[in-house]
Amino acid sequence: MLGRQRDADQFVEQYQQEEVAMENNLTKMIERIMARNRMNTPLQRPTYSSPLVEYIVQTENTRGWKIPKYTKFGGETGESTVEHIARFLTVSGDLANNESHRVKHFPSSLTKAALTWFTTLPPNSVDSWPKLEKLFHEQIYEGHSKIILVELSSIKRRFVGTIDDYLNRFRSLKAKCFTQVPEHELVQMAAGGLDYSIRKKIDPTFVKSMSQLADRVRHLERLR
């Protein structure tokens, strides 16, 4: 509601300017977080060359052995890299006892974004199972975290929801992000999803924790 002395057009213009400024600040914050965690863009190449070293590529399968029907991992939100590795080794059976076989056939268990990631690894860069597994976990975690960070920056408080319901949803989403984000940056993201009438009265730079943010919102809503 506007006071009698407030001009509606001026209020709308101010609101729009503050919304754009907030979105720009959140975008820059995500970029800083990604840079801090070394989330670089995968190398792009016009031709394909196997990331596996030659001796692994040339490893021959045991006579009569067939490649198992692996459950495909695509790197979608909610998929666990740990569970996929465990499933891959279980389905591989005796194959899992040979490290070269493990490395050679692991790409057969990938699809979609996960397979794309594998194809962008530098040629001849994977020479052992521990290295492949480490790269797999790190890349999928980072890719997943990028998605979560964007979602965190765009989450909004429901009109009829309490501040506690909103922050619980925010924390639940943050729990799925594998990237460490300082508390004060999380507070800024959470504050960005509040109603404009509340958000304009809060300076997130002086709010150091989620609990302080919740207390501040409750106080303002009681006054209102």
Side-chain angles (χ1 to χ4, degrees):
M1 298 295 291
L2 293 176
R4 293 182 178 179
Q5 305 302 318
R6 296 293 302 278
D7 179 81
D9 292 336
Q10 183 180 9
F11 176 83
V12 171
E13 182 179 357
Q14 178 184 353
Y15 170 80
Q16 292 174 338
Q17 291 176 347
E18 293 184 5
E19 285 291 298
V20 171
M22 183 195 70
E23 291 179 2
N24 290 337
N25 289 336
L26 289 176
T27 298
K28 292 179 180 178
M29 183 191 304
I30 291 176
E31 291 174 351
R32 289 198 302 271
I33 294 171
M34 292 168 64
R36 190 166 62 231
N37 288 273
R38 298 179 182 178
M39 295 179 180
N40 298 320
T41 303
L43 178 65
Q44 300 296 322
R45 295 191 305 278
T47 58
Y48 174 75
S49 182
S50 177
L52 307 181
V53 296
E54 187 64 22
Y55 81 84
I56 289 180
V57 174
Q58 296 300 327
T59 299
E60 295 185 0
N61 296 329
T62 303
R63 181 175 298 179
W65 182 85
K66 295 182 179 180
I67 299 178
K69 292 183 178 181
Y70 294 116
T71 298
K72 301 290 186 177
F73 182 95
E76 305 293 337
T77 302
E79 290 184 286
S80 167
T81 56
V82 175
E83 290 180 3
H84 179 69
I85 292 291
R87 186 163 48 241
F88 169 78
L89 295 177
T90 299
V91 174
S92 294
D94 293 338
L95 167 69
N97 298 326
N98 185 300
E99 182 174 344
S100 293
H101 280 154
R102 256 182 289 164
V103 176
K104 179 179 180 179
H105 294 291
F106 184 70
S108 299
S109 70
L110 305 179
T111 188
K112 297 181 180 178
L115 182 58
T116 299
W117 157 76
F118 178 80
T119 63
T120 60
L121 292 174
N124 302 308
S125 62
V126 179
D127 57 4
S128 69
W129 174 256
K131 183 172 184 177
L132 176 58
E133 184 175 3
K134 180 176 182 292
L135 290 171
F136 176 63
H137 288 309
E138 289 177 347
Q139 174 61 28
I140 301 304
Y141 279 7
E142 288 183 358
H144 183 64
S145 292
K146 291 177 186 178
I147 296 173
I148 298 301
L149 287 172
V150 172
E151 291 181 356
L152 280 174
S153 69
S154 60
I155 190 172
K156 302 295 181 183
R157 181 184 177 186
R158 297 190 180 100
F159 181 73
V160 295
T162 66
I163 183 61
D164 293 305
D165 290 338
Y166 169 65
L167 292 183
N168 284 337
R169 284 195 296 123
F170 189 90
R171 291 190 185 97
S172 178
L173 184 59
K174 171 58 183 70
K176 299 178 182 179
C177 180
F178 306 107
T179 299
Q180 295 298 317
V181 182
E183 183 77 4
H184 71 277
E185 292 182 342
L186 290 176
V187 169
Q188 292 182 52
M189 289 184 185
L194 297 174
D195 179 77
Y196 174 74
S197 63
I198 293 293
R199 189 176 70 241
K200 69 179 181 178
K201 298 178 181 179
I202 297 177
D203 186 347
T205 58
F206 294 102
V207 182
K208 303 303 181 183
S209 68
M210 291 295 191
S211 59
Q212 289 183 7
L213 178 63
D215 289 341
R216 180 62 177 156
V217 171
R218 292 191 195 98
H219 175 70
L220 290 172
E221 290 182 336
R222 283 196 297 268
L223 293 178
R224 188 170 62 174

